[in-house]
């Protein structure tokens, strides 16, 4: 027997009379309240009316009125959200008088709103209107409003200025280069504001704007903001606000891969901030550390000489080795994943995958540096640090040193081949190490040497083969 069809009968389309009644603010407010009712049927009926109502340009004035004047938080929030979605599609259908009234009403509403979340949605509505108006110089009052509020006595008003700037980032980046010097001063002051809320709002706005700079001249204007951004991001890191830290690091990672020079003068500061994130270990989410690692990889790939000329290689490598030493993950297993070419997409498909480990992040950073940073900057300081690890009485340090050696061989094959005479004895010592994890990593070192140091390595077969046979017996 077929199961009965339990689907609900679609709600009838609202009549013109019902829609006409919504021009009465009280009726519209009641309708929006129904969207928050605990009854599913009531919500569905209300949704059917709202969907038709928001297709008409008359909804703009009604929703603005609710956003500005309703005593109910839920209604103001819903009105702002609906306006954000519908104002763009309906813009061309609005007459000039409605547009002028809308500009005034939006600024009044966002200034008077006490709820932070609603102000954020109102800022999004303002951004929709601004995209239509600013490029045509038809809303200069908005920029004056932002500058005024950025210097206001009230903390909420200063924060609001940067919430709006954050929403306007793309529009400003593409069309307002003449305003950049003034905007830079506004951001610089806010990054040092006595209020953390204002600092963080400014940080987000700065990050968003930097992603939309088009010209090199624009990039140069905002270079000075990066140290201040990092200082606020450090405060966020200390406060456990990892989502903000990740957002900023994402921006730096993207900027490192572009031809713009926004972060170039501040690369040492950016790198050391990333190292600070990486050093926090298990106190942070793996995803936050992964983004920090991605910044270092991006700099290594796109601006490799900066790591060498600024003397950053020893600090970076020392941090990566420390991460590998303290990691509880199987070093040999991570090496196997690296050399097998297991990519992030495959890992995401693995239900048991919990994100990159510290070992994995460190290995990927080290690999990128070995491949891209010129050997004259990378090889000697890295081998010196690896040597210190191999000489350590701590087997975890020896494990890290041996694993690191396996990772860099491909990128440094020329230098490694030149120094096989001094490297092989260290590898054989690792192959005889009392700690199993060190011996496992030594297997990978021998494999990488055999693959990347041809044909010179063949002359050493008499010493390598016995070591391999001993390791096979160990297995």
């Amino acid at each position: 027997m077929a199961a009965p069809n339990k689907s609900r009968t679609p709600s009838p389309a609202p009549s013109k009379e019902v829609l006409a009644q919504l021009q009465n603010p009280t009726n519209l407010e009641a309708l929006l309240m129904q969207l928050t009712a605990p009854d599913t049927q009531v919500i569905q009926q209300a949704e059917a009316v709202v969907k038709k109502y928001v297709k008409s340009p008359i909804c703009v004035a009604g929703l603005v009125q609710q956003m500005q004047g309703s005593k109910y938080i839920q209604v103001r929030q819903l009105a702002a959200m609906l306006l954000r979605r519908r104002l763009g599609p309906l813009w061309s259908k609005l007459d000039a008088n409605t547009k002028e009234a809308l500009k005034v009403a939006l600024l009044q509403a966002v200034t008077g709103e006490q709820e932070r979340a609603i102000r954020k949605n109102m800022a999004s509505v303002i951004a929709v209107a601004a995209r239509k108006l600013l490029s045509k110089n038809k809303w200069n009052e908005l920029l004056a409003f932002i500058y005024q509020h950025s210097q206001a006595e009230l903390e909420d008003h200063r924060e609001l200025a940067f919430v709006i700037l954050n929403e306007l980032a793309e529009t400003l980046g593409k069309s307002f280069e003449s305003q950049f010097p003034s905007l830079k001063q506004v951001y610089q002051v806010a990054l040092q504001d006595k209020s953390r809320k204002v600092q963080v709002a400014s940080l987000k706005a700065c990050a968003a704007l930097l992603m939309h700079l088009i010209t090199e001249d624009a990039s140069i204007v905002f270079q000075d903001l990066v140290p201040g951004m990092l200082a606020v991001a450090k405060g966020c890191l200390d406060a456990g606000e990892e989502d903000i830290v990740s957002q900023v690091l994402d921006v730096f990672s993207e900027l490192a891969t572009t031809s713009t020079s926004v972060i170039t003068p501040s690369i040492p500061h950016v790198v050391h901030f990333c190292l600070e994130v990486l050093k926090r270990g298990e106190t942070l989410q793996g995803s936050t550390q992964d983004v920090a690692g991605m910044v270092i990889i991006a700099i290594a790939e796109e601006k490799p000489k900066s790591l060498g000329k600024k003397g950053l290689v020893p600090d970076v490598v020392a941090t990566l080795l420390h991460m590998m030493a303290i990691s509880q993950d199987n070093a040999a297993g991570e090496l196997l994943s690296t050399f097998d070419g297991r990519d992030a997409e495959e890992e995401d498909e693995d239900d048991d995958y919990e994100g990159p480990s510290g070992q994995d992040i460190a290995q990927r950073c080290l690999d990128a540096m070995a491949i891209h940073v010129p050997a004259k900057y990378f090889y000697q300081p890295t081998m010196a640090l690896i040597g210190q690890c191999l000489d350590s009485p701590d087997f975890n340090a020896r494990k890290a040193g041996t694993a690191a050696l396996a990772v860099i061989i491909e990128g440094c094959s020329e230098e490694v081949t030149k120094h096989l005479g001094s490297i092989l004895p260290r590898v054989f010592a690792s192959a005889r190490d009392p700690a199993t994890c060190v011996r496992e990593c030594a297997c990978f070192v021998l494999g990488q040497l055999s693959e990347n140091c041809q044909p010179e390595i063949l002359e050493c077969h008499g010493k390598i083969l016995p070591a391999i046979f001993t390791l096979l017996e160990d297995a």
Side-chain angles (χ1 to χ4, degrees):
M1 182 177 177
N5 185 354
K6 295 184 179 180
S7 61
R8 289 184 179 272
T9 303
S11 301
S15 65
K16 291 182 179 179
E17 291 77 11
V18 171
L19 293 176
Q21 290 172 9
L22 295 179
Q23 294 186 50
N24 182 318
T26 303
N27 294 337
L28 179 56
E29 184 178 64
L31 174 66
L32 295 177
M33 282 297 290
Q34 288 175 17
L35 292 174
T36 67
D39 187 315
T40 303
Q41 190 166 4
V42 171
I43 292 173
Q44 289 179 338
Q45 290 172 348
E47 284 177 343
V49 178
V50 168
K51 283 179 182 177
K52 187 156 187 180
Y53 175 68
V54 297
K55 290 180 180 179
S56 168
I58 65 169
C59 78
V60 172
L63 291 172
V64 169
Q65 191 172 20
Q66 295 301 319
M67 188 177 71
Q68 194 172 15
S70 176
K71 64 182 179 181
Y72 299 108
I73 291 175
Q74 308 98 303
V75 171
R76 299 200 304 276
Q77 181 77 294
L78 284 167
M81 291 170 65
L82 289 169
L83 265 176
R84 185 185 65 196
R85 294 174 187 169
R86 296 300 302 157
L87 185 58
L90 293 172
W91 186 262
S92 62
K93 299 178 181 179
L94 301 178
D95 59 46
N97 289 336
T98 300
K99 291 176 182 177
E100 286 300 315
L102 178 65
K103 293 188 311 186
V104 174
L106 286 176
L107 298 185
Q108 288 177 346
V110 77
T111 303
E113 180 55 58
Q114 299 299 309
E115 295 294 324
R116 198 177 181 196
I118 301 178
R119 287 200 300 271
K120 172 69 169 63
N121 274 305
M122 289 180 175
S124 298
V125 178
I126 289 171
V128 174
R131 280 192 283 272
K132 305 291 185 179
L133 294 166
L134 280 179
S135 60
K136 300 176 183 177
N137 290 320
K138 290 187 176 181
W139 203 3
N140 294 328
E141 300 92 339
L142 175 58
L143 292 177
F145 175 91
I146 290 170
Y147 288 138
Q148 179 185 353
H149 277 65
S150 72
Q151 302 171 48
E153 286 190 23
L154 289 178
E155 174 190 51
D156 285 349
H157 284 184
R158 297 199 305 279
E159 181 189 32
L160 172 62
F162 295 95
V163 171
I164 296 173
L165 283 171
N166 187 11
E167 295 289 333
L168 290 175
E170 184 175 0
T171 302
L172 294 173
K174 290 180 178 178
S175 307
F176 280 83
E177 195 161 338
S178 63
Q179 294 285 334
F180 286 172
S182 299
L183 284 171
K184 172 189 170 182
Q185 295 300 319
V186 169
Y187 287 126
Q188 275 187 324
V189 171
L191 287 169
Q192 300 174 52
D193 196 280
K194 60 186 178 183
S195 162
R196 265 193 49 74
K197 284 202 306 185
V198 178
Q199 288 180 6
V200 171
S202 176
L203 174 63
K204 292 178 178 179
C206 287
L209 178 60
L210 295 186
M211 289 295 291
H212 294 289
L213 299 179
I214 296 174
T215 68
E216 178 59 18
D217 287 343
S219 299
I220 291 172
V221 170
F222 290 103
Q223 284 176 346
D224 292 346
L225 293 182
V226 176
M229 293 174 67
L230 289 168
V232 178
K234 174 64 164 57
C236 294
L237 182 64
D238 292 338
E241 297 167 330
E242 291 188 49
D243 56 331
I244 300 171
V245 174
S246 293
Q247 180 183 334
V248 174
L249 289 174
D250 265 328
V251 170
F252 288 151
S253 178
E254 287 291 327
L255 291 173
T257 63
T258 68
S259 59
T260 62
S261 64
V262 179
I263 68 167
T264 301
S266 297
I267 280 180
H269 302 294
V270 172
V271 169
H272 281 112
F273 179 69
C274 291
L275 297 183
E276 176 70 20
V277 173
L278 293 174
K279 288 174 184 175
R280 300 282 176 117
E282 294 181 357
T283 63
L284 298 179
Q285 298 175 15
S287 58
T288 306
Q289 291 195 304
D290 190 32
V291 182
M294 288 167 59
V295 176
I296 290 175
I297 290 171
I299 292 173
E301 291 177 346
E302 303 297 332
K303 307 179 191 297
K305 290 183 180 178
S306 63
L307 291 176
K309 290 181 177 180
K310 301 292 184 180
L312 297 169
V313 170
D315 286 346
V316 176
V317 173
T319 299
L320 300 178
L321 287 168
H322 175 71
M323 291 174 66
M324 295 166 76
I326 65 173
S327 175
Q328 299 300 308
D329 294 275
N330 184 284
E334 295 290 357
L335 287 170
L336 181 61
S337 295
T338 299
F339 297 138
D340 275 355
R342 185 183 186 192
D343 59 28
E345 194 172 316
E346 291 171 328
E347 289 168 335
D348 288 341
E349 293 172 358
D350 184 350
D351 292 339
D352 296 327
Y353 181 63
E354 297 180 352
S357 66
Q359 181 85 22
D360 176 50
I361 295 168
Q363 286 179 186
R364 285 189 284 116
C365 291
L366 201 55
D367 184 45
M369 292 176 69
I371 292 171
H372 298 284
V373 178
K376 64 180 180 179
Y377 299 124
F378 180 78
Y379 182 75
Q380 287 297 341
T382 300
M383 285 302 296
L385 289 165
I386 287 175
Q388 292 174 19
C389 289
L390 296 177
D391 291 334
S392 173
D394 180 0
F395 75 87
N396 284 314
R398 299 197 302 275
K399 170 201 72 175
T402 309
L405 182 56
V407 170
I408 71 166
I409 288 171
E410 179 184 0
C412 299
S413 58
E414 261 189 60
E415 292 296 323
V416 171
T417 301
K418 289 179 190 174
H419 296 91
L420 278 175
S422 59
I423 290 174
L424 279 173
R426 310 303 300 267
V427 180
F428 296 147
S430 294
R432 298 188 301 270
D433 197 279
T436 302
C437 59
V438 178
R439 299 197 301 274
E440 289 174 342
C441 292
C443 291
F444 286 95
V445 176
L446 290 170
Q448 288 298 101
L449 290 172
S450 300
E451 183 178 344
N452 294 285
C453 298
Q454 299 276 2
E456 289 83 353
I457 194 70
L458 298 177
E459 299 173 9
C460 308
H461 71 277
K463 296 178 181 178
I464 292 175
L465 288 176
I468 291 174
F469 291 143
T470 301
L471 288 168
L472 288 173
E473 290 174 8
D474 193 23

mmCIF file of all heavy atoms in Angstrom, residues 19 21 30 37 49 104 122 132-133 152 203 208 258 295 391 433 449:
data_model
loop_
_atom_site.group_PDB
_atom_site.id
_atom_site.type_symbol
_atom_site.label_atom_id
_atom_site.label_comp_id
_atom_site.label_asym_id
_atom_site.label_seq_id
_atom_site.Cartn_x
_atom_site.Cartn_y
_atom_site.Cartn_z
ATOM 1 N N LEU A 19 -1.960 42.716 -0.239
ATOM 2 C CA LEU A 19 -0.736 43.487 -0.469
ATOM 3 C C LEU A 19 -0.979 44.976 -0.251
ATOM 4 O O LEU A 19 -0.108 45.686 0.264
ATOM 5 C CB LEU A 19 -0.234 43.243 -1.894
ATOM 6 C CG LEU A 19 0.276 41.806 -2.174
ATOM 7 C CD1 LEU A 19 0.659 41.661 -3.631
ATOM 8 C CD2 LEU A 19 1.467 41.472 -1.278
ATOM 9 N N GLN A 21 -3.008 46.220 1.849
ATOM 10 C CA GLN A 21 -3.092 46.438 3.304
ATOM 11 C C GLN A 21 -1.713 46.595 3.939
ATOM 12 O O GLN A 21 -1.559 47.206 5.000
ATOM 13 C CB GLN A 21 -3.831 45.271 3.963
ATOM 14 C CG GLN A 21 -5.321 45.206 3.643
ATOM 15 C CD GLN A 21 -5.969 43.942 4.158
ATOM 16 O OE1 GLN A 21 -5.354 43.176 4.898
ATOM 17 N NE2 GLN A 21 -7.226 43.711 3.762
ATOM 18 N N ALA A 30 2.943 43.405 11.701
ATOM 19 C CA ALA A 30 2.314 42.159 12.152
ATOM 20 C C ALA A 30 2.725 40.994 11.259
ATOM 21 O O ALA A 30 2.982 39.880 11.735
ATOM 22 C CB ALA A 30 0.797 42.316 12.158
ATOM 23 N N ALA A 37 6.949 33.367 14.344
ATOM 24 C CA ALA A 37 5.983 32.614 15.156
ATOM 25 C C ALA A 37 6.449 31.173 15.364
ATOM 26 O O ALA A 37 7.192 30.626 14.546
ATOM 27 C CB ALA A 37 4.608 32.615 14.472
ATOM 28 N N VAL A 49 3.156 35.620 1.546
ATOM 29 C CA VAL A 49 2.794 37.027 1.370
ATOM 30 C C VAL A 49 4.057 37.874 1.186
ATOM 31 O O VAL A 49 4.127 38.729 0.299
ATOM 32 C CB VAL A 49 1.968 37.534 2.577
ATOM 33 C CG1 VAL A 49 1.627 39.014 2.405
ATOM 34 C CG2 VAL A 49 0.693 36.709 2.740
ATOM 35 N N VAL A 104 18.636 59.450 3.190
ATOM 36 C CA VAL A 104 18.495 60.110 4.503
ATOM 37 C C VAL A 104 18.048 59.102 5.553
ATOM 38 O O VAL A 104 18.593 59.038 6.667
ATOM 39 C CB VAL A 104 17.493 61.277 4.412
ATOM 40 C CG1 VAL A 104 17.239 61.875 5.794
ATOM 41 C CG2 VAL A 104 18.000 62.342 3.452
ATOM 42 N N MET A 122 22.091 46.776 8.652
ATOM 43 C CA MET A 122 21.803 48.079 8.051
ATOM 44 C C MET A 122 22.991 48.575 7.238
ATOM 45 O O MET A 122 22.828 49.187 6.173
ATOM 46 C CB MET A 122 21.453 49.096 9.143
ATOM 47 C CG MET A 122 20.101 48.873 9.791
ATOM 48 S SD MET A 122 19.781 50.128 11.057
ATOM 49 C CE MET A 122 18.095 49.720 11.533
ATOM 50 N N LYS A 132 25.372 51.747 -5.982
ATOM 51 C CA LYS A 132 24.641 52.394 -7.070
ATOM 52 C C LYS A 132 24.925 53.899 -7.163
ATOM 53 O O LYS A 132 24.810 54.493 -8.229
ATOM 54 C CB LYS A 132 23.127 52.204 -6.865
ATOM 55 C CG LYS A 132 22.687 50.756 -6.710
ATOM 56 C CD LYS A 132 22.843 49.978 -7.997
ATOM 57 C CE LYS A 132 22.294 48.563 -7.850
ATOM 58 N NZ LYS A 132 22.424 47.788 -9.113
ATOM 59 N N LEU A 133 25.302 54.512 -6.047
ATOM 60 C CA LEU A 133 25.350 55.964 -5.972
ATOM 61 C C LEU A 133 26.756 56.563 -5.926
ATOM 62 O O LEU A 133 27.010 57.609 -6.534
ATOM 63 C CB LEU A 133 24.574 56.441 -4.734
ATOM 64 C CG LEU A 133 23.059 56.184 -4.746
ATOM 65 C CD1 LEU A 133 22.486 56.379 -3.346
ATOM 66 C CD2 LEU A 133 22.379 57.129 -5.730
ATOM 67 N N ALA A 152 33.756 60.160 16.377
ATOM 68 C CA ALA A 152 32.715 60.452 17.371
ATOM 69 C C ALA A 152 33.164 60.053 18.775
ATOM 70 O O ALA A 152 34.051 59.220 18.965
ATOM 71 C CB ALA A 152 31.429 59.711 17.003
ATOM 72 N N LEU A 203 40.323 46.817 11.800
ATOM 73 C CA LEU A 203 41.153 45.743 11.251
ATOM 74 C C LEU A 203 40.419 45.011 10.126
ATOM 75 O O LEU A 203 40.974 44.762 9.049
ATOM 76 C CB LEU A 203 41.524 44.762 12.363
ATOM 77 C CG LEU A 203 42.269 43.488 11.950
ATOM 78 C CD1 LEU A 203 43.629 43.830 11.355
ATOM 79 C CD2 LEU A 203 42.438 42.557 13.148
ATOM 80 N N ALA A 208 39.589 44.034 4.361
ATOM 81 C CA ALA A 208 38.684 43.964 3.215
ATOM 82 C C ALA A 208 39.121 44.913 2.107
ATOM 83 O O ALA A 208 39.100 44.555 0.920
ATOM 84 C CB ALA A 208 37.262 44.284 3.668
ATOM 85 N N THR A 258 49.960 38.136 -4.995
ATOM 86 C CA THR A 258 49.698 39.136 -6.036
ATOM 87 C C THR A 258 50.954 39.951 -6.310
ATOM 88 O O THR A 258 51.945 39.886 -5.566
ATOM 89 C CB THR A 258 48.570 40.094 -5.603
ATOM 90 O OG1 THR A 258 49.021 40.903 -4.505
ATOM 91 C CG2 THR A 258 47.330 39.316 -5.189
ATOM 92 N N VAL A 295 50.449 31.398 4.691
ATOM 93 C CA VAL A 295 51.079 32.701 4.445
ATOM 94 C C VAL A 295 52.576 32.512 4.194
ATOM 95 O O VAL A 295 53.135 33.080 3.244
ATOM 96 C CB VAL A 295 50.856 33.658 5.636
ATOM 97 C CG1 VAL A 295 51.590 34.973 5.399
ATOM 98 C CG2 VAL A 295 49.370 33.916 5.855
ATOM 99 N N ASP A 391 71.993 16.054 16.734
ATOM 100 C CA ASP A 391 72.925 15.869 17.854
ATOM 101 C C ASP A 391 72.234 15.912 19.212
ATOM 102 O O ASP A 391 72.870 15.700 20.247
ATOM 103 C CB ASP A 391 74.001 16.965 17.829
ATOM 104 C CG ASP A 391 74.948 16.813 16.642
ATOM 105 O OD1 ASP A 391 75.109 15.671 16.158
ATOM 106 O OD2 ASP A 391 75.506 17.839 16.195
ATOM 107 N N ASP A 433 69.520 4.683 15.127
ATOM 108 C CA ASP A 433 69.049 5.363 16.335
ATOM 109 C C ASP A 433 68.206 4.423 17.203
ATOM 110 O O ASP A 433 67.453 3.582 16.676
ATOM 111 C CB ASP A 433 68.205 6.583 15.949
ATOM 112 C CG ASP A 433 68.037 7.565 17.097
ATOM 113 O OD1 ASP A 433 67.166 7.319 17.960
ATOM 114 O OD2 ASP A 433 68.779 8.565 17.127
ATOM 115 N N LEU A 449 67.331 10.568 -1.045
ATOM 116 C CA LEU A 449 68.696 10.671 -1.575
ATOM 117 C C LEU A 449 68.846 9.832 -2.843
ATOM 118 O O LEU A 449 69.426 10.285 -3.834
ATOM 119 C CB LEU A 449 69.701 10.216 -0.523
ATOM 120 C CG LEU A 449 69.895 11.128 0.693
ATOM 121 C CD1 LEU A 449 70.763 10.443 1.742
ATOM 122 C CD2 LEU A 449 70.526 12.464 0.280
#
